[in-house]
Amino acid sequence: MSEVLLSIENLVTRFYTELGVVRAVDGNSLQLGEQESLGVVGESGSGKTVTALSVMRLIENPGRIEGGRILFRGEDLLRKTERQMRAIRGKDIAMVFQDSLSSLNPTLTIGEQICRVLKFHLGLSHRERWQRAVELLAQVGIPEPERRVKHYPHQFSGGMRQRALIAMAISCSPQLLILDEPTTALDVTIEAQIFELVEGLKQAFGMGTFLITHDLSVVATFCDRVVIMYAGKIVEEAPVTELYDRPLHPYTRGLLGSIPPLEGGKDRLDSIPGEVPDLINLPPGCNFSPRCQQAGERCWREEPPLEAPAPGRRVACWKAGEPDG
Amino acid sequence: MGIYILKRLILAIPTLLVASVLIFSLVHLAPGGPIRVMLGDYQDPVLIERLRHQLGLDLPLYQQYLRWVGNLLRGDLGFSITVHRGAPVAQLIAQRISVTLELATFSMVIALLIAIPAGIISALRQNRLSDHIARLVALAGVSIPNFFLGILLILIFGVYLRQPWGAGGFVPISRGLGKNLAHLVLPAIALGTAYAAIIMRMMRSAMLDVMGQDYVRTARAMGIAEGNIVRRDIVKNALIPVVTVIGNSIGYLLGGSIVTETVFRMPGVGNLVINGIFRRDFPVIQAVVLFIVVLRIVINLVVDLTYGVLDPRIRYGAAE
C-alpha cells in the first residue's frame, strides 16, 4: 500500500435516542491508501454510512462521535474546528450521496449548485465559475453541457443527476471521494456507466475512493480492498480477489452465497436467516452468533477480536476459515 | 401560461354560479326584510305591498334571482334600499374598497414582517428558549379573537394613553400619509396578529421539514457556509408551502376586516356589509359578498401563479 490517505482508529459513534443508545459504529479501525479503492459492504444499519458521515464530521443530533481518531493525511479530523472542517468538506474530501433527486436542491439550477461549491473553496470570478461548471459537466459525460448547466435537477434523468452530483463532488479535485451507494436508485446499465466514469475520474484526479455498498458484485469490479461490516463492527477485511476466493467469516460467505452465479444452475439463492440485531440491545458474544450456523458455545459468550490471520487480511470470528458445518 | 389563466377563469364560472345561489338564498332565508326596516314603527299593509312591488320583492324568488343575475351580467350591481337609499351599490363599494384593501395589505405586511423572521429563528433554534417564546406568543395570537384584541388595543392606546390615533376612525391618504398610517396601525395589528401566528407556525414547520432534507446534507458535505445554506437551501424551499398559506389566509383577512372595520369605525367594505346585514339591505349584502368571492378567486389565481416563480418544478400550461 502506498502512503496512507485516511486512517480511522477505534472510531466510536453512538446515537442517543429515546429508546436507548444506538451503537452505530463500535470501535472500528481501517485504512485507505492514496489512490486506493476501498469497498465497505454491509446490510442497512451495519454502520457504513455512519462511518462515512463521521469522517465528514456530519453526524447530527442525537448522534455523537465518542472516541477514536480519524487521520486524514496525518491530521486528526476530530480535532478540527467546524470552520476548518468546512474548508475540508467538498475540497479535500467530497461525498456523493445515494438518491440524486433528493440530494440536489430542487430550486437551484445544476450550474448554481456547482458554482457555489467553487465559490466557497476556490473563489474565482463569476464567469470563471460558470465556465468551470460547464467543463465539469462535460467531464462527467453530460451532453450539451452549456445548455444543461442552466437546468434544474428535475429536468435531468436519474443517471444524469448522479453524474451532476459527481461533477459537484469532484469540482475542487478532492483527494478522497466517498460514494454512498451511488447507484442504488439507478438501473444496471446506468450503474455500469457511473462506475466507469468514477474509475476514469479516479485515474485522472488521483483520488482515493471510499465506496459504500451492499452489493459485493460492484465491489469486485471497482475496489482494491473490501471491508465487511456487521452491526456496527468490521467483521472481515481482505483484498478483493482473496475475499472471493477464500472468505473467512461466515457472514461474508453468506453474502457471497446470495449473489446469483453467472453460469446459473442454482434454483434458489442462499439467504442468511434472521435479521440484523437491534443496535440498542446487542446480543452477548459475537454480534452475528444468533444468525450464524456455525456458532458454538464460545461464540455466544465471548466477542471475537479482529485478528490478522495473513498479511492484508483481518477477520473477527472464533471459527474463521472453518468449513461450513 | 395564457391558456392556463384562461382555463382557470373559465373554471371560476361554476364557482361563481354556486356562490350566487348560496348568497341569494341565505339572504332571503333570514327573517325580516328591508321594508320592515324602512317603515320602522309605521307598518302600513298597503304601503308594504306597494314598496314590495316597487322593489320587485313580490316576484317569485327564482324570478328575483334571475333578475339579479341578469343585472349583474350587465354590470349592474343594484341599488341600496336602506343603508344609502337609492345609491348604486357599485359606487358604494368603489368608495370603500380602498379602505379595506389598505387595511388588509397593511395587516399582511405587518404580519409577514413578524411571522417570516420569527418562524425562521424559531426553527433554527428549535426547542431553545427563543423557540418556546415564539411558539407561545403564536399560540396566544391564534387564540385571541381579533375583535377582542381590537377593543383591548383601543382601551389601552385610546382610553388610557389618549393617543389621537388610538381610538379608531380612518384618515384618508389625502390628509397626509403619516396620519393615514398611524390610524391603521392598531387595526392592522388586531387583524394581522392571528394571521402572523398562523404563518409563523407554518414557516417554522416548513423550515424544520426542509432542514431534514438530503440536499441540505449535500450542501454541508460540500463545505457550504451555514448562512448560505439557510438562505438558499432552507428558507427558499420552505417558502413554497408557506406561500399557499399566505394566499389562503388572504380570504381570512378579508373576512376579518368586516369585524375589525366595525370595531375601529372604519368606512370600508366590511363596514358596509355589516350595515347592510343589520338593515336587511338585500342588494348591498348580495353584491358585496359576491364581490368578496370574486376577489378571492382572483387572489387564489395570483397565488398559484407565484408558485411558478418560487418552484421551478411547476410550469403552467406547457409540457416540458
Side-chain angles (χ1 to χ4, degrees):
Chain A
M1 197 161 61
S2 55
E3 283 290 284
V4 176
L5 180 64
L6 178 75
S7 173
I8 299 174
E9 297 173 3
N10 295 315
L11 178 69
V12 177
T13 304
R14 291 183 179 149
F15 288 82
Y16 290 83
T17 67
E18 283 170 20
L19 296 171
V21 182
V22 180
R23 295 151 172 272
V25 175
D26 207 6
N28 287 331
S29 302
L30 61 85
Q31 287 197 336
L32 173 67
E34 266 175 24
Q35 304 187 34
E36 192 190 14
S37 287
L38 179 71
V40 179
V41 181
E43 289 167 81
S44 325
S46 60
K48 30 193 214 314
T49 301
V50 175
T51 303
L53 290 175
S54 299
V55 172
M56 299 291 285
R57 285 261 312 270
L58 284 175
I59 298 291
E60 283 175 36
N61 261 330
R64 241 176 278 162
I65 300 174
E66 301 250 281
R69 297 202 297 169
I70 298 174
L71 301 176
F72 178 68
R73 290 182 302 177
E75 288 179 46
D76 190 356
L77 296 180
L78 299 183
R79 293 183 179 278
K80 300 271 180 201
T81 63
E82 179 56 29
R83 198 190 178 82
Q84 289 170 322
M85 269 320 289
R86 261 209 304 273
I88 293 171
R89 289 184 203 127
K91 180 152 193 300
D92 302 317
I93 308 176
M95 188 159 173
V96 173
F97 293 96
Q98 204 176 115
D99 180 352
S100 60
L101 184 59
S102 64
S103 295
L104 288 163
N105 184 337
T107 57
L108 293 179
T109 62
I110 295 293
E112 284 170 323
Q113 300 192 50
I114 295 176
C115 284
R116 104 177 151 142
V117 180
L118 293 171
K119 185 180 174 188
F120 271 96
H121 293 300
L122 306 179
L124 304 177
S125 73
H126 184 81
R127 279 231 352 240
E128 287 170 326
R129 287 200 295 268
W130 279 90
Q131 184 66 40
R132 181 93 185 93
V134 172
E135 285 167 19
L136 282 162
L137 289 188
Q139 199 163 10
V140 296
I142 289 177
E144 299 180 79
E146 298 87 0
R147 196 168 67 85
R148 289 306 226 159
V149 78
K150 294 185 200 112
H151 281 189
Y152 289 94
H154 70 277
Q155 293 166 300
F156 277 56
S157 68
M160 286 295 151
R161 267 199 303 268
Q162 200 55 270
R163 282 170 192 267
L165 209 54
I166 291 170
M168 206 194 299
I170 61 161
S171 62
C172 303
S173 328
Q175 284 142 340
L176 173 60
L177 182 64
I178 300 174
L179 301 142
D180 186 0
E181 303 195 24
T183 55
T184 311
L186 305 174
D187 55 53
V188 187
T189 46
I190 310 283
E191 177 174 50
Q193 291 173 14
I194 294 285
F195 279 116
E196 227 168 86
L197 168 70
V198 176
E199 186 63 48
L201 293 169
K202 205 186 104 189
Q203 307 293 340
F205 286 81
M207 298 181 291
T209 53
F210 186 106
L211 172 70
I212 295 169
T213 179
H214 51 243
D215 188 348
L216 271 171
S217 49
V218 165
V219 168
T221 52
F222 186 71
C223 297
D224 307 322
R225 212 150 44 83
V226 203
V227 163
I228 311 283
M229 285 189 75
Y230 185 78
K233 282 199 149 82
I234 293 175
V235 294
E236 180 159 11
E237 181 185 332
V240 167
T241 45
E242 286 187 37
L243 187 90
Y244 286 83
D245 291 345
R246 204 165 58 88
L248 294 177
H249 199 283
Y251 179 62
T252 314
R253 282 202 289 275
L255 286 181
L256 288 169
S258 62
I259 302 173
L262 208 54
E263 317 84 53
K266 223 177 189 184
D267 291 337
R268 278 181 73 105
L269 295 174
D270 297 337
S271 64
I272 304 172
E275 281 172 40
V276 183
D278 180 359
L279 292 175
I280 295 173
N281 299 303
L282 286 169
C286 172
N287 285 340
F288 187 60
S289 60
R291 298 171 75 183
C292 182
Q293 288 172 341
Q294 288 170 268
E297 199 51 38
R298 193 176 190 189
C299 306
W300 309 108
R301 274 199 334 267
E302 278 177 73
E303 202 178 318
L306 192 60
E307 283 174 332
R313 296 210 65 164
R314 290 194 294 170
V315 65
C317 179
W318 293 122
K319 312 213 163 184
E322 281 181 25
D324 280 311
Chain B
M1 180 104 149
I3 294 169
Y4 174 79
I5 295 174
L6 195 71
K7 247 193 234 165
R8 285 287 301 262
L9 290 178
I10 291 169
L11 277 173
I13 293 172
T15 313
L16 281 173
L17 210 65
V18 172
S20 70
V21 172
L22 275 177
I23 294 164
F24 186 83
S25 358
L26 282 176
V27 165
H28 286 267
L29 272 173
I35 294 164
R36 279 251 185 98
V37 178
M38 280 166 84
L39 296 179
D41 291 338
Y42 186 71
Q43 302 278 348
D44 175 30
V46 182
L47 196 57
I48 289 177
E49 253 337 283
R50 222 171 68 205
L51 280 171
R52 273 170 66 88
H53 182 69
Q54 227 177 35
L55 296 171
L57 293 174
D58 56 342
L59 295 170
L61 272 184
Y62 77 91
Q63 277 189 25
Q64 287 188 42
Y65 173 76
L66 290 178
R67 220 160 104 177
W68 177 52
V69 173
N71 287 339
L72 281 179
L73 289 179
R74 276 184 274 118
D76 178 7
L77 299 189
F79 294 88
S80 166
I81 303 174
T82 51
V83 177
H84 290 272
R85 194 171 303 171
V89 178
Q91 189 194 321
L92 291 176
I93 294 177
Q95 282 165 357
R96 288 163 175 76
I97 185 66
S98 65
V99 178
T100 303
L101 287 184
E102 204 188 340
L103 173 64
T105 312
F106 200 53
S107 304
M108 186 157 89
V109 170
I110 288 187
L112 292 181
L113 283 179
I114 297 169
I116 300 291
I120 292 172
I121 292 166
S122 197
L124 292 179
R125 308 184 57 84
Q126 194 194 0
N127 292 330
R128 303 223 220 129
L129 188 64
S130 41
D131 179 32
H132 289 307
I133 291 173
R135 284 161 70 191
L136 202 70
V137 173
L139 184 65
V142 191
S143 312
I144 298 174
N146 55 16
F147 69 87
F148 180 72
L149 187 59
I151 292 170
L152 215 62
L153 289 172
I154 291 177
L155 194 68
I156 296 170
F157 292 97
V159 178
Y160 295 143
L161 299 176
R162 302 209 161 274
Q163 293 299 315
W165 42 265
F170 179 79
V171 179
I173 301 183
S174 55
R175 282 174 48 199
L177 185 66
K179 271 193 176 161
N180 168 266
L181 290 181
H183 276 82
L184 268 174
V185 168
L186 292 188
I189 289 173
L191 182 55
T193 300
Y195 190 64
I198 294 168
I199 294 168
M200 180 254 152
R201 300 206 308 182
M202 188 67 207
M203 188 69 200
R204 177 180 182 272
S205 71
M207 289 270 300
L208 290 177
D209 181 49
V210 174
M211 281 155 75
Q213 294 290 320
D214 288 346
Y215 53 81
V216 174
R217 189 181 60 181
T218 305
R220 291 214 175 95
M222 297 295 168
I224 309 292
E226 204 56 32
N228 194 290
I229 293 176
V230 168
R231 223 172 41 247
R232 300 186 76 185
D233 294 295
I234 302 176
V235 172
K236 193 172 179 204
N237 283 290
L239 274 175
I240 296 169
V242 173
V243 168
T244 322
V245 178
I246 293 174
N248 286 340
S249 313
I250 291 175
Y252 158 86
L253 280 185
L254 291 174
S257 68
I258 294 176
V259 179
T260 311
E261 283 172 14
T262 308
V263 171
F264 285 91
R265 297 181 295 113
M266 298 171 74
V269 174
N271 198 287
L272 177 67
V273 77
I274 285 277
N275 281 330
I277 290 167
F278 285 151
R279 311 196 60 184
R280 299 289 186 274
D281 199 332
F282 292 165
V284 167
I285 308 170
Q286 287 168 188
V288 173
V289 177
L290 196 67
F291 174 74
I292 291 176
V293 172
V294 171
L295 212 55
R296 238 190 114 188
I297 290 174
V298 172
I299 289 167
N300 279 347
L301 179 59
V302 172
V303 169
D304 284 353
L305 291 177
T306 56
Y307 290 150
V309 180
L310 278 172
D311 190 344
R313 284 167 294 186
I314 300 168
R315 285 284 179 266
Y316 299 106
E320 285 276 318

